[in-house]
Amino acid sequence: MTPDITPTPLIMSLITNTSLVPGQTETFNQQENQLSCLIANTCYVVDVSTSLSFTVPILGVFYPILTLLTAVANSIIIHILLRPAMRSPTNILLAAIAVFDMATLLVQAPWHVYMYTLGLHSSTQWSSTSCYLLELCTQTLPQVCHTTANWLTLGLSAQRYIYICQPHLA
């Protein structure tokens, strides 16, 4: 049993490129493409009417190789930094940065391999659930992981500043 997806007035205003404020019209092409796939129960990551000459090689060939290399390198880093003899606040932060850096790519890897490496980017029909999962795993979660890695890097720099410039506070 699938849930009934009835567009709200806000969603309809985005799809029809109109504003909820009378007399104003705005263009929301990106939101329109994302929301219309939910209503029609189809979801495409890229606009198939445009050229895929760069998208398929980057997301279908280069991206899986980059993901594999990053996963191997970060796994080695995590393994070394979390040895009992190596445990320190700095190394724990470095290991956490490696974990979130690796998660940034690994979360979206299955989707990119399925669609671009296997060549199923334009022939796959999506349910509303898979469309939500696609957006979650290829846009939202990678951004959260990347932002977390950036904040951990900021925390590491603050920690190093305190250790070096303010040792009495450490």
Side-chain angles (χ1 to χ4, degrees), residues 39-155:
I39 293 170
N41 283 335
T42 61
C43 187
Y44 302 110
V45 177
V46 295
D47 183 8
V48 292
S49 66
T50 62
S51 174
L52 296 174
S53 61
F54 292 113
T55 305
V56 173
I58 290 172
L59 295 178
V61 178
F62 179 69
Y63 182 84
I65 294 169
L66 178 67
T67 301
L68 182 64
L69 291 174
T70 301
V72 169
N74 282 336
S75 296
I76 293 169
I77 290 168
I78 292 164
H79 177 72
I80 290 170
L81 292 175
L82 294 182
R83 288 182 181 170
M86 295 284 294
R87 290 217 177 138
S88 70
T90 301
N91 286 348
I92 290 174
L93 274 173
L94 288 170
I97 292 169
V99 167
F100 281 101
D101 182 42
M102 186 168 48
T104 300
L105 291 175
L106 289 179
V107 166
Q108 45 188 324
W111 295 92
H112 287 282
V113 168
Y114 175 75
M115 289 183 295
Y116 300 109
T117 304
L118 299 177
L120 302 172
H121 53 84
S122 62
S123 63
T124 303
Q125 295 296 317
W126 299 92
S127 67
S128 59
T129 303
S130 61
C131 196
Y132 282 122
L133 284 173
L134 175 71
E135 184 177 338
L136 178 72
C137 292
T138 61
Q139 295 176 13
T140 307
L141 288 179
Q143 186 173 6
V144 168
C145 291
H146 184 70
T147 303
T148 304
N150 288 340
W151 281 108
L152 286 169
T153 304
L154 179 68

